[in-house]
């Protein structure tokens, strides 16, 4: 029986030495949490060894109670580790919040705070990100007093990376002023600039060029939902049919221009798919039909009122009067007769 106890003693002593050595190694490597845990285990092992020594007669005094102290110290070590991990987690969360705040400020700076003013055109927009930093982007460029370009994009993902890609997209867009009147060429050249530079995050885009002198709309798409052309008097709606590949995935988009004659009562709607892909409590999509119905019902309203009414209809249908599941961007442009 004593041989068995001696074997247990030597085994526990060896374990204690190994744990002590491991503790010192973890301290040297900077892993303080592992070192604290190992220190607690060393103390527990020592108290167990003492108990074994009492059992085999080396001590007459009862040391069994020391095991309780060993367990107690191990629990303290575990508590210290939890406190350290909680503190580290809080620090990381604070850093993440700081990063998100910076990304939010970046996004605010690159998305227009108000629409441009141009003769015979009235523009309104609403942007609702799903998170503090979303993946949608839009911008305007005034070419002259009767020409304007409007672009809308949807970047995969959210957060800092989406904000950085949106900033890259904006720089690319504003560096190509020589093709603002050529939508398909503009999108192709943006793709050339961003190809293999977006860290596998892709984006769709739709660009329109409006000329109020010739009363024409030229549109082109890069994997983005087609814009809607509506008649404010009759409520008639039609899609501007154009297509192209998504930006960042292929070296060529193969997009093309679609040219439409604009009537004095025309309304143009640009949007991201977060609107039509909004779901209700039954997980049903809002869909294109409901979206077109909402556009028809709001044609008598001014652009800003129409934007608000359409978004309210989506939120009412989905039962969500809070941040949406996906980013939602809506731009409404009214064309008026030349004065």
């Amino acid at each position: 029986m004593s041989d068995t106890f001696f074997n247990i003693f030597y085994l526990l002593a060896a374990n204690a030495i190994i744990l002590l050595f491991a503790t010192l190694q973890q301290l040297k490597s900077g892993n303080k949490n592992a070192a604290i845990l190992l220190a607690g285990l060393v103390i527990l092992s020592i108290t167990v060894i003492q108990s074994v020594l009492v059992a085999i007669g080396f001590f007459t005094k009862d040391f069994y109670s020391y095991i309780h102290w060993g367990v107690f110290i191990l629990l303290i070590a575990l508590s210290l580790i939890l406190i350290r991990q909680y503190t580290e987690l809080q620090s990381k969360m604070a850093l993440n919040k700081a990063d998100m705040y910076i990304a939010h400020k970046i996004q605010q700076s690159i998305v227009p705070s108000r629409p441009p003013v141009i003769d015979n055109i009235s523009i309104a927009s609403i942007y609702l990100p799903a998170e503090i930093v979303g993946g949608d982007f839009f911008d305007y460029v005034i070419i002259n007093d009767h020409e304007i370009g409007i672009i809308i994009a949807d970047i995969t993902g959210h957060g800092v990376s989406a904000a950085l890609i949106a900033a890259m997209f904006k720089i690319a867009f504003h560096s190509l002023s020589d093709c603002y009147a050529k939508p398909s060429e503009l999108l192709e050249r943006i793709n050339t600039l961003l190809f293999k530079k977006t860290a596998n995050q892709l984006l769709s885009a739709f660009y329109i060029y409006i000329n109020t002198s010739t009363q024409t709309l030229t549109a082109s798409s890069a994997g983005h939902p087609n814009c809607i052309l509506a008649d404010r008097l009759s409520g008639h709606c039609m899609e501007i049919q154009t297509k192209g590949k998504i930006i960042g995935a292929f070296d060529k988009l193969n997009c093309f221009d679609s040219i439409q004659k604009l009537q004095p009562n025309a309304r143009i709607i640009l949007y991201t798919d977060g609107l039509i892909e909004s779901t209700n409590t039954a997980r049903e999509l809002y869909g294109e039909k409901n979206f077109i119905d909402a556009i028809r019902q709001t044609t008598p309203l001014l652009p800003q009122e129409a934007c608000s009414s359409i978004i309210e209809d989506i939120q009412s249908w989905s039962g969500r009067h809070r941040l949406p599941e996906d980013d939602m961007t809506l731009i409404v442009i009214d064309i008026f007769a030349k004065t």
Side-chain angles (χ1 to χ4, degrees):
M1 186 71 174
S2 61
D3 289 341
T4 302
F5 278 115
F6 272 115
N7 289 336
I8 294 173
F9 168 74
Y10 289 132
L11 179 62
L12 289 171
N15 286 337
I17 293 170
I18 292 170
L19 288 171
L20 181 61
F21 178 76
T23 300
L24 295 174
Q25 290 296 109
Q26 291 296 331
L27 279 171
K28 288 181 180 178
S29 67
N31 190 345
K32 294 182 180 179
N33 287 339
I36 292 170
L37 177 60
L38 288 169
L41 290 170
V42 167
I43 294 172
L44 178 61
S45 298
I46 291 171
T47 60
V48 172
I49 290 171
Q50 289 174 331
S51 299
V52 172
L53 292 173
V54 169
I56 63 178
F58 270 72
F59 298 106
T60 56
K61 187 176 179 180
D62 184 6
F63 283 91
Y64 282 107
S65 60
Y66 286 1
I67 294 179
H68 301 145
W69 283 107
V71 173
F72 177 68
I73 291 172
L74 178 61
L75 290 174
I76 290 176
L78 291 171
S79 299
L80 288 173
I81 291 171
L82 289 175
I83 292 170
R84 282 177 55 81
Q85 289 181 336
Y86 176 77
T87 304
E88 290 171 2
L89 179 62
Q90 290 296 313
S91 298
K92 289 179 181 178
M93 287 177 64
L95 288 173
N96 287 337
K97 286 181 180 179
D99 287 343
M100 293 299 285
Y101 175 76
I102 292 170
H104 178 66
K105 298 299 287 184
I106 291 172
Q107 192 168 60
Q108 280 186 324
S109 69
I110 65 176
V111 174
S113 58
R114 59 178 62 88
V117 177
I118 186 169
D119 292 342
N120 308 315
I121 295 179
S122 178
I123 305 172
S125 65
I126 287 182
Y127 173 39
L128 295 177
E131 300 175 8
I132 188 172
V133 179
D136 285 0
F137 170 78
F138 66 97
D139 205 355
Y140 315 102
V141 58
I142 297 177
I143 303 168
N144 53 48
D145 59 0
H146 61 272
E147 294 176 273
I148 185 173
I150 303 173
I151 197 162
I152 187 170
D154 186 355
I155 302 156
T156 57
H158 309 91
V160 177
S161 60
L164 291 174
I165 293 171
M168 292 168 59
F169 187 87
K170 183 183 179 76
I171 292 169
F173 174 58
H174 283 278
S175 70
L176 300 171
S177 58
D178 58 320
C179 53
Y180 283 153
K182 306 168 187 175
S184 60
E185 182 180 340
L186 174 72
L187 294 178
E188 290 282 4
R189 290 179 62 182
I190 289 176
N191 181 64
T192 300
L193 291 172
L194 298 184
F195 185 54
K196 295 184 178 179
K197 296 182 180 69
T198 59
N200 297 322
Q201 284 189 260
L202 308 177
L203 59 149
S204 66
F206 200 100
Y207 177 71
I208 60 172
Y209 160 71
I210 301 172
N211 189 322
T212 58
S213 179
T214 60
Q215 290 294 101
T216 56
L217 164 70
T218 307
S220 190
S221 173
H224 197 86
N226 290 323
C227 76
I228 308 296
L229 183 60
D231 187 302
R232 297 199 306 276
L233 296 181
S234 67
H236 174 73
C237 296
M238 63 172 285
E239 276 193 3
I240 304 299
Q241 296 295 328
T242 183
K243 62 181 180 179
K245 296 176 182 177
I246 197 165
I247 293 174
F250 309 94
D251 57 350
K252 294 291 183 183
L253 301 180
N254 296 325
C255 52
F256 64 91
D257 291 336
S258 178
I259 303 174
Q260 298 288 330
K261 191 70 176 176
L262 292 174
Q263 301 301 319
N265 54 347
R267 170 168 288 178
I268 305 161
I269 296 94
L270 297 170
Y271 65 99
T272 56
D273 58 13
L275 280 78
I276 59 175
E277 292 180 358
S278 181
T279 59
N280 60 13
T281 53
R283 307 306 298 173
E284 298 170 325
L285 292 175
Y286 183 71
E288 293 182 7
K289 183 182 181 301
N290 286 330
F291 184 51
I292 295 296
D293 287 343
I295 292 172
R296 287 197 183 102
Q297 292 170 9
T298 56
T299 50
L301 303 177
L302 295 173
Q304 190 60 58
E305 294 172 342
C307 277
S308 299
S309 181
I310 292 170
I311 294 297
E312 286 174 7
D313 186 67
I314 294 170
Q315 291 177 327
S316 176
W317 182 86
S318 65
R320 292 185 180 89
H321 293 278
R322 52 181 173 79
L323 291 178
E325 293 176 291
D326 192 10
D327 306 320
M328 295 197 299
T329 301
L330 177 64
I331 305 173
V332 175
I333 308 111
D334 279 0
I335 309 297
F336 299 97
K338 290 186 289 185
T339 56

